[in-house]
Amino acid sequence: MEVNGTGQPSPTSSGQEKTSLSSLTENFDNFLLLLTQQLKHQDPLSPLDTNQFTEQLVQFAGVEQSISTNNKLDQLIAFNSNNQAISALAFLNTTVEVDSDQIWLAEGGESEILYGLPQDAAETTITILDASGKPVRVESGSTTVGEHSFVWDGTDNDGVALPEGVYSIQITAVDSKGESVEVGTGTVGTVEGVQMRNGQLMLTIGDLEVPANSVLGVRNKSDA
């Protein structure tokens, strides 16, 4: 079981933030140096205009405040990410229902497919595809409005057991007029890992990764 909830920003976003902050800090240092040299070499008989000097000090304070704000925002983002990662750890070893068009099939196991119809349909077709996009199992589904599930035993149309892996699901439905009915799809699985990927918390179900915010519900052990 792998848990990589680091809560750190993605390498790309982190690099961009460091570059921006570095540039801002460099501008701040340059501004401070120029202001110091200007005061040092000003003509005693014609000192720096008070209004101009005040304006430069205001700019100086603004740059300093921007750097401070950047640092605090970085800390806040990191803190928030850490909190999210810690919260997501609660999903470990739990059975969840997630919004997904993919499913995980363990070796010798089965996979549960969820789908919902917003209205009655005349015909519903459940198609399971392998990694290459080839249909391996086609079944008729429920046609009544509401939430439904289909437990796939892991075999193809000929009854041959398929290898474990991530499979795709396509569920189509048409009404009595032959018009398409929108179908929502999902799956059920046990969360085996939590990790941060590109700034987004991901849950792993076997080799299937799903966003933590795609969780629709958590099942009791007695319901799993």
Side-chain angles (χ1 to χ4, degrees):
M1 178 176 65
E2 178 185 9
V3 180
N4 295 323
T6 62
Q8 298 301 318
S10 67
T12 301
S13 61
S14 179
Q16 292 174 342
E17 290 168 2
K18 288 182 179 179
T19 299
S20 299
L21 182 57
S22 176
S23 176
L24 187 60
T25 303
E26 183 178 355
N27 290 337
F28 174 77
D29 291 340
N30 290 337
F31 179 85
L32 181 59
L33 178 61
L34 287 173
L35 183 60
T36 302
Q37 292 300 317
Q38 187 177 11
L39 290 173
K40 181 179 179 180
H41 297 289
Q42 66 177 326
D43 185 354
L45 300 178
S46 181
L48 184 67
D49 180 81
T50 304
N51 292 333
Q52 183 181 359
F53 182 69
T54 302
E55 182 180 347
Q56 291 181 348
L57 286 178
V58 170
Q59 294 175 0
F60 174 87
V63 174
E64 184 180 23
Q65 184 61 40
S66 295
I67 293 175
S68 176
T69 300
N70 253 298
N71 286 327
K72 290 178 180 178
L73 282 175
D74 286 344
Q75 293 172 7
L76 183 61
I77 291 172
F79 178 75
N80 185 53
S81 297
N82 281 325
N83 277 347
Q84 289 181 353
I86 292 172
S87 298
L89 292 177
F91 286 120
L92 281 174
N93 299 317
T94 61
T95 300
V96 296
E97 300 176 353
V98 296
D99 181 11
S100 176
D101 59 0
Q102 292 184 308
I103 56 176
W104 164 250
L105 176 67
E107 183 176 0
E110 56 187 25
S111 184
E112 183 175 356
I113 298 170
L114 306 176
Y115 61 102
L117 298 175
Q119 64 185 67
D120 288 340
E123 181 180 358
T124 301
T125 303
I126 302 171
T127 304
I128 300 173
L129 308 94
D130 63 16
S132 66
K134 174 186 175 182
V136 293
R137 182 72 175 266
V138 180
E139 290 285 339
S140 295
S142 297
T143 57
T144 55
V145 61
E147 303 297 325
H148 306 283
S149 69
F150 170 73
V151 178
W152 177 41
D153 62 5
T155 63
D156 63 13
N157 290 323
D158 298 322
V160 178
L162 296 173
E164 72 173 18
V166 176
Y167 291 79
S168 297
I169 49 177
Q170 290 181 354
I171 302 180
T172 58
V174 293
D175 60 19
S176 57
K177 298 179 181 179
E179 296 181 353
S180 296
V181 175
E182 184 178 355
V183 183
T185 61
T187 188
V188 179
T190 300
V191 178
E192 300 174 359
V194 177
Q195 59 184 320
M196 185 74 72
R197 188 179 298 282
N198 297 326
Q200 184 174 27
L201 275 171
M202 304 295 291
L203 307 179
T204 57
I205 300 173
D207 288 343
L208 175 64
E209 288 190 354
V210 295
N213 59 14
S214 69
V215 174
L216 302 173
V218 178
R219 293 188 177 182
N220 294 324
K221 290 185 178 179
S222 58
D223 298 331

